[in-house]
Amino acid sequence: MDNLALETENLCSDIHFRLGLKESSKKNPESPQVLSLLASHLERSVLKNDKLLETAQLKDTVTIFHGTRAPSLGIQQYIDRIFKYSCCSPSCFVVAHIYVDKFTQRNNVLLTSLSVHRLFITGVMVAAKFIDDAFFNNAYYAKVGGISTVELNRLEMKFLFGLDFRLQVSIQTFDKYCSQLEKEASSGIPIERPIRACGIKESWSNNEESNCAAIAR
């Protein structure tokens, strides 16, 4: 039994290293593997749900996380931007993924091109506050995510109530989601087209409501 536990621990440690979640992976901090795997997973989920909605096989619950149209920056670029400017640990993105997954399940909400961006930036912010030693205020995350501070405040409260404020993630759950991301990537499931997300520019203006902070309404 002890040998089995040790083997499992080593396996999880290897996965963490490959995904860029170990401290030693900070030698290449701009591109932890988990970001691309997570982006691919979100793109597949959104594509699947959008198609089901288009063919009326599913009906979505409209929430404050939904925009009226899909924005214009790819999900991969959006996640890269959040990582670049938020200074969150790579583990935050896995925890945010877990939060978003639980939120959609608990509240009967689909992850679609209209909701994925607001859900994810909210999830990352909540995860950073819960697991990282240092984090920014809501105004900063709002600018990173391309929405107003007032809106992000509302999204955060809706998100927390939707999770029933249950933010603790067990090691077993964390490792399970890491393994699923890696397994999905190794299966080689193709992505048919890029998902277009919010049109945020690399340079910011001091005006919070400027063009660089406009997720499609």
Side-chain angles (χ1 to χ4, degrees):
M1 183 65 71
D2 290 341
N3 289 337
L4 178 59
L6 183 60
E7 290 177 3
T8 302
E9 182 179 348
N10 290 337
L11 176 60
C12 292
S13 180
D14 289 343
I15 293 174
H16 294 172
F17 184 82
R18 290 194 297 271
L19 295 186
L21 302 175
K22 304 288 284 184
E23 289 185 0
S24 56
S25 70
K26 290 183 179 179
K27 294 178 181 179
N28 186 20
E30 294 188 3
S31 56
Q33 181 71 8
V34 68
L35 299 187
S36 59
L37 298 185
L38 183 54
S40 296
H41 170 81
L42 293 176
E43 288 172 355
R44 292 185 184 99
S45 297
V46 168
L47 275 173
K48 176 183 177 181
N49 290 334
D50 279 354
K51 285 185 176 181
L52 290 174
L53 289 173
E54 288 173 3
T55 57
Q57 296 182 42
L58 286 178
K59 186 175 182 180
D60 196 12
T61 301
V62 178
T63 69
I64 62 173
F65 293 94
H66 287 69
T68 57
R69 58 187 175 83
S72 60
L73 185 70
I75 283 180
Q76 178 71 66
Q77 288 75 23
Y78 191 57
I79 289 178
D80 286 343
R81 176 184 172 83
I82 294 173
F83 180 74
K84 179 178 180 180
Y85 292 113
S86 69
C87 301
C88 296
S89 64
S91 295
C92 270
F93 289 79
V94 177
V95 175
H97 171 39
I98 295 170
Y99 287 166
V100 170
D101 195 35
K102 289 185 176 181
F103 179 89
T104 55
Q105 291 179 31
R106 287 174 58 92
N107 298 275
N108 195 30
V109 175
L110 294 176
L111 199 63
T112 70
S113 56
L114 300 182
S115 63
V116 60
H117 316 105
R118 286 179 175 84
L119 280 168
F120 197 73
I121 184 60
T122 307
V124 169
M125 182 182 73
V126 171
K129 290 181 178 182
F130 193 71
I131 71 170
D132 277 358
D133 294 330
F135 52 86
F136 295 101
N137 60 25
N138 285 23
Y140 184 86
Y141 290 112
K143 184 169 286 190
V144 170
I147 53 180
S148 72
T149 305
V150 172
E151 181 175 11
L152 186 56
N153 290 342
R154 292 198 302 265
L155 296 177
E156 181 183 27
M157 291 305 298
K158 182 70 174 179
F159 197 74
L160 290 171
F161 276 102
L163 292 174
D164 198 24
F165 290 84
R166 297 180 180 179
L167 303 181
Q168 186 67 44
V169 174
S170 69
I171 295 175
Q172 292 77 13
T173 298
F174 185 88
D175 289 341
K176 183 184 75 173
Y177 274 80
C178 288
S179 298
Q180 287 174 347
L181 286 173
E182 190 173 56
K183 182 178 180 180
E184 186 177 273
S186 64
S187 67
I189 302 173
I191 302 173
E192 296 181 11
R193 61 175 175 79
I195 302 298
R196 310 297 292 181
C198 48
I200 305 173
K201 300 178 181 177
E202 280 297 318
S203 59
W204 303 341
S205 117
N206 291 326
N207 184 353
E208 188 179 46
E209 295 296 331
S210 65
N211 289 334
C212 72
I215 282 187
R217 299 297 175 186

